[in-house]
Amino acid sequence: MTRTITLRLSDEAYEAVKRYAEAEHTSMNAWVEGLLDAEDMRRRCAAHGAWMQANPAVTRAALSFGAANQRSLGAAGLPNLAGTAE
């Protein structure tokens, strides 16, 4: 379900958003949505990074699993992250 949220901006903030949106040839609504999406992703990545630092055993296991997958791809003659098939 879509929810509508009303933002109240100071005149200065409104004019700044308007300038940025015009510079990107987009609507103010689309510009703000993009800004909020970027902030959401930044926060999610920061939380994931903190979780990974707090769980080093999981991090090591994930890296080991990824390395094994890359070796398997190479052994099967498929491209790996290095862009080569071994």
Side-chain angles (χ1 to χ4, degrees), residues 6-71:
T6 301
L7 297 176
R8 303 220 185 271
L9 303 174
S10 67
D11 290 342
E12 295 83 14
Y14 178 86
E15 290 301 322
V17 168
K18 186 176 176 181
R19 278 194 314 275
Y20 289 126
E22 287 174 353
E24 294 186 16
H25 306 288
T26 189
S27 72
M28 291 173 65
N29 287 341
W31 189 86
V32 170
E33 286 175 9
L35 187 69
L36 292 172
D37 285 345
E39 176 62 12
D40 180 58
M41 181 59 73
R42 185 195 67 76
R43 288 175 184 232
R44 288 173 183 257
C45 289
H48 181 255
W51 187 88
M52 295 294 281
Q53 286 182 337
N55 295 279
V58 174
T59 302
R60 284 190 301 276
L63 290 171
S64 176
F65 185 79
N69 280 342
Q70 290 302 302
R71 286 190 301 276

Side-chain angles (χ1 to χ4, degrees), residues 70-71 73-74 78-86:
Q70 290 302 302
R71 286 190 301 276
L73 287 171
L78 298 170
N80 54 32
L81 288 176
T84 60
E86 296 175 7

